[in-house]
Amino acid sequence: MKFLKSLVEKFVGKPVDWDEVEESLVRADLGVPMAIRIMQELQKLETYRTVTAADVSDIARDEIRRVLPKTTAPLEPLTGRPKVLLIVGVNGTGKTTSTAKLAHYLKKRGHSVLLAAADTFRAAAIEQLGVWSERIGVEMIRGQYNADPAALCYEAYVAAQKRDAQFLICDTAGRLHTKTNLMGELTKVKRSIAKHDEGAPHETLLVVDATTGSNAVAQAREFNQAIGLTGLIVTKLDGSGKGGVVVAIQDELGIPTRFVGTGEKLEDFALFDAKEFVGQMI
Ligand SMILES: Nc1nc2c(ncn2[C@@H]2O[C@H](COP(=O)(O)OP(=O)(O)O)[C@@H](O)[C@H]2O)c(=O)[nH]1
Ligand SMILES: [Mg+2]
Protein backbone atom coordinates (compact mmCIF):
# COMPACT_ATOMS: atom_id res chain seq x y z
CA MET A 1 0.00 0.00 0.00
CA LYS A 2 2.93 2.32 0.46
CA PHE A 3 3.50 3.14 -3.19
CA LEU A 4 3.69 6.88 -2.66
CA LYS A 5 5.64 6.55 0.53
CA SER A 6 8.45 4.76 -1.26
CA LEU A 7 8.42 7.32 -4.04
CA VAL A 8 8.78 10.13 -1.58
CA GLU A 9 11.60 8.41 0.27
CA LYS A 10 13.61 8.34 -2.96
CA PHE A 11 13.54 12.12 -3.17
CA VAL A 12 14.30 13.06 0.38
CA GLY A 13 16.95 15.78 0.37
CA LYS A 14 17.07 16.20 -3.40
CA PRO A 15 14.95 17.77 -6.11
CA VAL A 16 12.19 15.57 -7.46
CA ASP A 17 12.58 13.76 -10.73
CA TRP A 18 9.43 14.65 -12.71
CA ASP A 19 9.47 11.56 -14.89
CA GLU A 20 9.71 9.38 -11.86
CA VAL A 21 6.89 11.21 -10.08
CA GLU A 22 4.63 10.88 -13.08
CA GLU A 23 5.45 7.22 -13.56
CA SER A 24 4.81 6.45 -9.91
CA LEU A 25 1.46 8.22 -9.97
CA VAL A 26 0.41 6.24 -13.01
CA ARG A 27 1.66 2.99 -11.50
CA ALA A 28 -0.28 3.78 -8.34
CA ASP A 29 -3.55 3.22 -10.29
CA LEU A 30 -5.03 6.49 -9.09
CA GLY A 31 -6.37 7.04 -12.58
CA VAL A 32 -5.11 9.40 -15.23
CA PRO A 33 -7.30 12.43 -14.30
CA MET A 34 -6.13 12.27 -10.69
CA ALA A 35 -2.48 11.78 -11.70
CA ILE A 36 -2.74 14.80 -14.01
CA ARG A 37 -4.28 16.95 -11.25
CA ILE A 38 -1.51 16.10 -8.83
CA MET A 39 1.15 16.83 -11.46
CA GLN A 40 -0.49 20.18 -12.29
CA GLU A 41 -0.57 21.21 -8.65
CA LEU A 42 3.09 20.30 -8.26
CA GLN A 43 4.06 22.21 -11.39
CA LYS A 44 2.18 25.28 -10.17
CA LEU A 45 4.24 25.13 -7.02
CA GLU A 46 7.40 24.74 -9.06
CA THR A 47 6.91 28.13 -10.71
CA TYR A 48 7.94 29.82 -7.49
CA ARG A 49 10.03 27.31 -5.57
CA THR A 50 11.77 23.97 -5.75
CA VAL A 51 9.38 21.08 -5.23
CA THR A 52 10.40 18.63 -2.54
CA ALA A 53 9.47 15.09 -1.68
CA ALA A 54 7.26 16.39 1.10
CA ASP A 55 5.34 18.48 -1.44
CA VAL A 56 4.61 15.41 -3.52
CA SER A 57 3.13 13.57 -0.58
CA ASP A 58 1.26 16.63 0.76
CA ILE A 59 -0.38 17.41 -2.56
CA ALA A 60 -1.18 13.79 -3.36
CA ARG A 61 -2.66 13.34 0.11
CA ASP A 62 -4.80 16.49 -0.27
CA GLU A 63 -6.08 15.49 -3.70
CA ILE A 64 -6.94 11.97 -2.57
CA ARG A 65 -8.64 13.18 0.61
CA ARG A 66 -10.70 15.67 -1.36
CA VAL A 67 -12.08 12.86 -3.51
CA LEU A 68 -12.78 10.19 -0.88
CA PRO A 69 -15.90 10.58 1.28
CA LYS A 70 -15.02 11.33 4.92
CA THR A 71 -17.19 8.55 6.26
CA THR A 72 -18.41 5.21 4.99
CA ALA A 73 -22.09 4.36 5.32
CA PRO A 74 -22.43 1.25 7.50
CA LEU A 75 -24.99 -1.41 6.67
CA GLU A 76 -28.03 -0.81 8.84
CA PRO A 77 -31.00 -3.18 8.75
CA LEU A 78 -34.46 -2.06 7.63
CA THR A 79 -37.53 -2.48 9.78
CA GLY A 80 -39.94 -5.26 9.01
CA ARG A 81 -38.28 -6.54 5.87
CA PRO A 82 -34.94 -7.95 4.81
CA LYS A 83 -32.25 -5.72 3.40
CA VAL A 84 -30.98 -7.30 0.21
CA LEU A 85 -27.32 -7.09 -0.75
CA LEU A 86 -26.43 -8.22 -4.25
CA ILE A 87 -22.79 -9.18 -4.73
CA VAL A 88 -21.49 -8.93 -8.30
CA GLY A 89 -18.23 -8.91 -10.21
CA VAL A 90 -15.96 -10.69 -12.66
CA ASN A 91 -14.52 -14.15 -11.99
CA GLY A 92 -12.11 -14.67 -9.14
CA THR A 93 -12.26 -11.21 -7.60
CA GLY A 94 -13.41 -12.61 -4.25
CA LYS A 95 -17.22 -12.44 -4.42
CA THR A 96 -17.90 -15.68 -2.56
CA THR A 97 -15.23 -15.02 0.06
CA SER A 98 -16.50 -11.47 0.55
CA THR A 99 -20.10 -12.71 0.81
CA ALA A 100 -19.01 -14.99 3.66
CA LYS A 101 -16.92 -12.25 5.28
CA LEU A 102 -19.83 -9.82 5.08
CA ALA A 103 -22.23 -12.37 6.60
CA HIS A 104 -19.76 -12.99 9.41
CA TYR A 105 -19.28 -9.25 9.93
CA LEU A 106 -23.04 -8.64 10.20
CA LYS A 107 -23.61 -11.66 12.40
CA LYS A 108 -20.91 -10.47 14.81
CA ARG A 109 -22.83 -7.20 15.08
CA GLY A 110 -25.89 -9.10 16.20
CA HIS A 111 -27.75 -9.20 12.91
CA SER A 112 -29.55 -12.15 11.41
CA VAL A 113 -28.37 -13.08 7.94
CA LEU A 114 -29.43 -15.45 5.18
CA LEU A 115 -27.23 -16.34 2.22
CA ALA A 116 -28.33 -17.15 -1.33
CA ALA A 117 -25.98 -19.23 -3.48
CA ALA A 118 -26.99 -17.59 -6.74
CA ASP A 119 -23.81 -18.58 -8.56
CA THR A 120 -25.50 -21.58 -10.12
CA PHE A 121 -23.05 -21.78 -13.05
CA ARG A 122 -20.66 -24.01 -11.17
CA ALA A 123 -21.62 -26.73 -8.69
CA ALA A 124 -18.33 -26.05 -6.89
CA ALA A 125 -19.38 -22.46 -6.25
CA ILE A 126 -22.51 -23.59 -4.40
CA GLU A 127 -20.38 -25.97 -2.33
CA GLN A 128 -17.81 -23.25 -1.59
CA LEU A 129 -20.45 -20.93 -0.11
CA GLY A 130 -22.01 -23.93 1.64
CA VAL A 131 -18.75 -24.60 3.49
CA TRP A 132 -18.54 -20.96 4.57
CA SER A 133 -22.17 -20.94 5.67
CA GLU A 134 -21.58 -23.89 7.98
CA ARG A 135 -18.40 -22.40 9.33
CA ILE A 136 -19.97 -19.06 10.21
CA GLY A 137 -23.30 -20.55 11.27
CA VAL A 138 -25.47 -18.71 8.77
CA GLU A 139 -28.13 -20.51 6.77
CA MET A 140 -27.86 -20.69 2.99
CA ILE A 141 -30.51 -21.09 0.31
CA ARG A 142 -29.25 -23.19 -2.56
CA GLY A 143 -30.70 -24.10 -5.92
CA GLN A 144 -29.93 -26.80 -8.41
CA TYR A 145 -26.77 -26.55 -10.45
CA ASN A 146 -27.66 -24.39 -13.49
CA ALA A 147 -30.87 -23.12 -11.87
CA ASP A 148 -32.09 -19.65 -12.83
CA PRO A 149 -30.37 -17.21 -10.45
CA ALA A 150 -33.26 -14.74 -10.68
CA ALA A 151 -35.75 -17.38 -9.54
CA LEU A 152 -33.38 -18.48 -6.78
CA CYS A 153 -33.01 -14.94 -5.43
CA TYR A 154 -36.78 -14.51 -5.60
CA GLU A 155 -37.25 -17.62 -3.47
CA ALA A 156 -34.43 -16.65 -1.14
CA TYR A 157 -36.26 -13.41 -0.39
CA VAL A 158 -39.36 -15.36 0.64
CA ALA A 159 -37.18 -17.51 2.88
CA ALA A 160 -35.57 -14.42 4.42
CA GLN A 161 -38.99 -12.97 5.17
CA LYS A 162 -40.17 -16.21 6.75
CA ARG A 163 -37.12 -16.31 8.99
CA ASP A 164 -37.28 -12.61 9.83
CA ALA A 165 -33.72 -12.27 8.57
CA GLN A 166 -32.43 -8.72 8.61
CA PHE A 167 -30.06 -9.26 5.71
CA LEU A 168 -30.16 -11.40 2.60
CA ILE A 169 -26.84 -11.60 0.77
CA CYS A 170 -26.91 -12.97 -2.78
CA ASP A 171 -23.62 -14.27 -4.16
CA THR A 172 -23.69 -14.31 -7.97
CA ALA A 173 -21.66 -15.93 -10.74
CA GLY A 174 -18.58 -14.19 -12.08
CA ARG A 175 -19.19 -12.57 -15.40
CA LEU A 176 -17.13 -10.55 -17.78
CA HIS A 177 -18.31 -6.98 -17.86
CA THR A 178 -18.02 -7.07 -21.65
CA LYS A 179 -20.57 -9.87 -22.10
CA THR A 180 -23.96 -8.22 -22.53
CA ASN A 181 -26.02 -11.41 -22.18
CA LEU A 182 -24.54 -12.11 -18.76
CA MET A 183 -25.03 -8.54 -17.69
CA GLY A 184 -28.65 -8.90 -18.84
CA GLU A 185 -29.01 -11.85 -16.52
CA LEU A 186 -28.05 -9.63 -13.59
CA THR A 187 -30.72 -7.14 -14.60
CA LYS A 188 -33.17 -10.01 -14.40
CA VAL A 189 -31.93 -10.93 -10.93
CA LYS A 190 -32.46 -7.35 -9.81
CA ARG A 191 -35.95 -7.21 -11.28
CA SER A 192 -37.00 -10.45 -9.62
CA ILE A 193 -35.86 -9.22 -6.20
CA ALA A 194 -37.65 -5.90 -6.77
CA LYS A 195 -40.95 -7.75 -7.19
CA HIS A 196 -40.91 -8.23 -3.42
CA ASP A 197 -39.67 -4.79 -2.51
CA GLU A 198 -39.24 -2.06 -5.09
CA GLY A 199 -36.27 -0.70 -3.17
CA ALA A 200 -34.43 -4.01 -3.39
CA PRO A 201 -31.66 -4.90 -3.88
CA HIS A 202 -30.85 -2.15 -1.41
CA GLU A 203 -27.18 -2.47 -2.09
CA THR A 204 -25.48 -3.69 -5.24
CA LEU A 205 -21.85 -4.16 -4.37
CA LEU A 206 -19.18 -4.76 -6.99
CA VAL A 207 -16.24 -6.84 -5.84
CA VAL A 208 -12.99 -5.72 -7.46
CA ASP A 209 -9.50 -7.12 -7.03
CA ALA A 210 -7.09 -4.29 -6.17
CA THR A 211 -4.28 -6.02 -8.03
CA THR A 212 -6.03 -5.63 -11.39
CA GLY A 213 -5.45 -1.86 -11.48
CA SER A 214 -7.09 0.09 -14.23
CA ASN A 215 -9.09 -2.94 -15.38
CA ALA A 216 -11.05 -2.63 -12.14
CA VAL A 217 -12.11 0.86 -13.25
CA ALA A 218 -13.42 -0.55 -16.54
CA GLN A 219 -15.31 -3.25 -14.63
CA ALA A 220 -16.89 -0.67 -12.34
CA ARG A 221 -17.92 1.48 -15.30
CA GLU A 222 -19.61 -1.40 -17.14
CA PHE A 223 -21.37 -2.91 -14.13
CA ASN A 224 -22.55 0.51 -13.06
CA GLN A 225 -23.97 1.24 -16.50
CA ALA A 226 -25.68 -2.13 -16.72
CA ILE A 227 -27.18 -2.50 -13.25
CA GLY A 228 -26.23 0.50 -11.11
CA LEU A 229 -23.83 0.09 -8.20
CA THR A 230 -24.10 1.46 -4.68
CA GLY A 231 -20.58 0.59 -3.63
CA LEU A 232 -17.46 -1.49 -3.92
CA ILE A 233 -15.80 -4.22 -1.97
CA VAL A 234 -12.10 -3.96 -2.77
CA THR A 235 -10.24 -7.21 -2.17
CA LYS A 236 -6.64 -8.38 -2.05
CA LEU A 237 -5.35 -5.14 -0.61
CA ASP A 238 -2.94 -7.35 1.31
CA GLY A 239 -1.14 -8.57 -1.79
CA SER A 240 -0.97 -5.76 -4.28
CA GLY A 241 0.93 -3.08 -2.46
CA LYS A 242 -1.59 -0.74 -4.08
CA GLY A 243 -5.05 0.55 -3.48
CA GLY A 244 -5.22 3.25 -6.10
CA VAL A 245 -8.32 1.72 -7.72
CA VAL A 246 -10.32 2.89 -4.70
CA VAL A 247 -9.39 6.46 -5.58
CA ALA A 248 -9.74 6.09 -9.35
CA ILE A 249 -13.24 4.58 -9.16
CA GLN A 250 -14.44 7.18 -6.66
CA ASP A 251 -12.92 9.98 -8.71
CA GLU A 252 -14.08 8.88 -12.14
CA LEU A 253 -17.40 7.20 -11.34
CA GLY A 254 -18.40 8.49 -7.92
CA ILE A 255 -18.75 4.97 -6.52
CA PRO A 256 -17.60 4.67 -2.90
CA THR A 257 -15.63 1.79 -1.44
CA ARG A 258 -17.64 0.29 1.40
CA PHE A 259 -15.54 -2.65 2.53
CA VAL A 260 -12.00 -3.87 2.07
CA GLY A 261 -10.60 -7.38 2.04
CA THR A 262 -7.06 -7.88 3.25
CA GLY A 263 -6.64 -11.65 3.22
CA GLU A 264 -8.34 -14.99 2.84
CA LYS A 265 -9.63 -15.32 6.39
CA LEU A 266 -13.05 -14.20 7.66
CA GLU A 267 -11.49 -11.55 9.87
CA ASP A 268 -9.52 -10.00 7.00
CA PHE A 269 -12.37 -7.65 6.26
CA ALA A 270 -13.37 -4.18 7.41
CA LEU A 271 -15.52 -1.17 6.72
CA PHE A 272 -13.53 1.17 4.51
CA ASP A 273 -11.79 3.85 6.54
CA ALA A 274 -10.65 6.71 4.27
CA LYS A 275 -8.35 8.28 6.82
CA GLU A 276 -6.58 5.04 7.59
CA PHE A 277 -6.42 4.19 3.91
CA VAL A 278 -4.73 7.46 2.97
CA GLY A 279 -2.35 7.06 5.89
CA GLN A 280 -1.30 3.67 4.59
CA MET A 281 -0.89 4.90 1.05
CA ILE A 282 1.26 7.94 1.69
N1 LIG B 1 -5.13 -12.43 -0.43
C1 LIG B 1 -6.45 -12.33 -0.55
N2 LIG B 1 -7.11 -13.29 -1.20
C2 LIG B 1 -8.45 -13.16 -1.32
C3 LIG B 1 -9.15 -12.05 -0.80
N3 LIG B 1 -10.46 -12.21 -1.09
C4 LIG B 1 -10.56 -13.39 -1.76
N4 LIG B 1 -9.35 -13.97 -1.91
C5 LIG B 1 -9.01 -15.22 -2.59
O1 LIG B 1 -9.28 -15.09 -3.97
C6 LIG B 1 -9.67 -16.33 -4.54
C7 LIG B 1 -10.99 -16.21 -5.28
O2 LIG B 1 -12.01 -15.91 -4.32
P1 LIG B 1 -13.54 -16.26 -4.56
O3 LIG B 1 -14.27 -15.70 -3.39
O4 LIG B 1 -13.74 -17.69 -4.86
O5 LIG B 1 -13.82 -15.40 -5.86
P2 LIG B 1 -15.13 -15.31 -6.78
O6 LIG B 1 -14.85 -16.09 -8.01
O7 LIG B 1 -15.25 -13.86 -7.11
O8 LIG B 1 -16.28 -15.81 -5.98
C8 LIG B 1 -9.74 -17.31 -3.36
O9 LIG B 1 -8.55 -18.06 -3.35
C9 LIG B 1 -9.83 -16.41 -2.14
O10 LIG B 1 -9.32 -16.99 -0.98
C10 LIG B 1 -8.40 -11.01 -0.12
O11 LIG B 1 -8.91 -9.99 0.36
N5 LIG B 1 -7.05 -11.22 -0.03
MG1 LIG C 1 -17.71 -17.23 -6.36
Side-chain angles (χ1 to χ4, degrees):
M1 286 282 285
K2 296 188 178 161
F3 57 95
L4 280 174
K5 232 173 219 160
S6 58
L7 165 75
V8 168
E9 277 157 11
K10 269 189 231 162
F11 299 125
V12 173
K14 43 183 176 176
V16 297
D17 175 329
W18 289 109
D19 288 341
E20 200 151 2
V21 171
E22 191 171 5
E23 200 199 309
S24 298
L25 290 172
V26 169
R27 256 193 289 131
D29 296 332
L30 296 167
V32 174
M34 167 70 80
I36 290 174
R37 287 208 301 277
I38 296 171
M39 287 298 285
Q40 280 171 344
E41 286 303 312
L42 289 168
Q43 275 155 0
K44 256 191 244 167
L45 194 62
E46 205 179 49
T47 57
Y48 54 94
R49 71 164 169 79
T50 308
V51 169
T52 66
D55 296 325
V56 178
S57 51
D58 287 351
I59 286 174
R61 190 185 294 113
D62 286 353
E63 284 295 322
I64 293 170
R65 276 207 189 132
R66 223 154 46 81
V67 160
L68 297 178
K70 300 276 169 296
T71 55
T72 301
L75 290 176
E76 300 293 353
L78 302 168
T79 37
R81 63 205 155 101
K83 184 175 238 183
V84 184
L85 318 177
L86 185 64
I87 311 298
V88 301
V90 307
N91 270 317
T93 52
K95 289 177 299 303
T96 303
T97 311
S98 299
T99 298
K101 286 173 171 178
L102 193 51
H104 179 69
Y105 171 94
L106 291 168
K107 191 183 178 212
K108 269 201 316 197
R109 275 158 187 74
H111 298 305
S112 51
V113 185
L114 185 67
L115 295 173
D119 177 357
T120 54
F121 272 21
R122 294 182 305 128
I126 304 173
E127 282 321 306
Q128 185 191 357
L129 192 63
V131 169
W132 281 119
S133 107
E134 274 169 35
R135 199 183 303 171
I136 58 184
V138 164
E139 204 188 331
M140 180 182 95
I141 302 299
R142 67 170 75 211
Q144 294 296 319
Y145 164 63
N146 253 338
D148 173 17
L152 179 73
C153 289
Y154 184 88
E155 284 161 31
Y157 187 97
V158 177
Q161 263 182 324
K162 263 192 203 139
R163 290 161 178 74
D164 259 332
Q166 291 172 303
F167 290 94
L168 169 65
I169 315 179
C170 305
D171 182 26
T172 63
R175 62 199 74 228
L176 266 181
H177 50 295
T178 48
K179 293 262 159 56
T180 45
N181 57 330
L182 290 177
M183 296 303 269
E185 187 188 77
L186 273 185
T187 315
K188 217 180 129 205
V189 168
K190 278 194 85 160
R191 274 206 308 268
S192 77
I193 300 170
K195 282 181 194 154
H196 291 293
D197 173 353
E198 61 179 4
H202 305 91
E203 300 280 357
T204 301
L205 301 172
L206 177 73
V207 180
V208 297
D209 175 342
T211 63
T212 57
S214 61
N215 195 259
V217 182
Q219 290 163 21
R221 187 178 301 118
E222 296 298 327
F223 274 88
N224 194 40
Q225 253 166 31
I227 53 161
L229 299 173
T230 58
L232 297 183
I233 298 177
V234 179
T235 64
K236 311 191 192 182
L237 279 170
D238 49 313
S240 67
K242 307 192 195 189
V245 291
V246 164
V247 181
I249 294 173
Q250 179 75 63
D251 188 36
E252 292 173 43
L253 303 166
I255 303 165
T257 296
R258 306 285 289 280
F259 292 93
V260 291
T262 51
E264 302 195 45
K265 295 197 296 292
L266 284 173
E267 296 72 28
D268 301 328
F269 188 74
L271 195 67
F272 177 65
D273 182 330
K275 207 170 158 203
E276 190 188 316
F277 173 82
V278 177
Q280 277 167 358
M281 232 170 32
I282 303 172

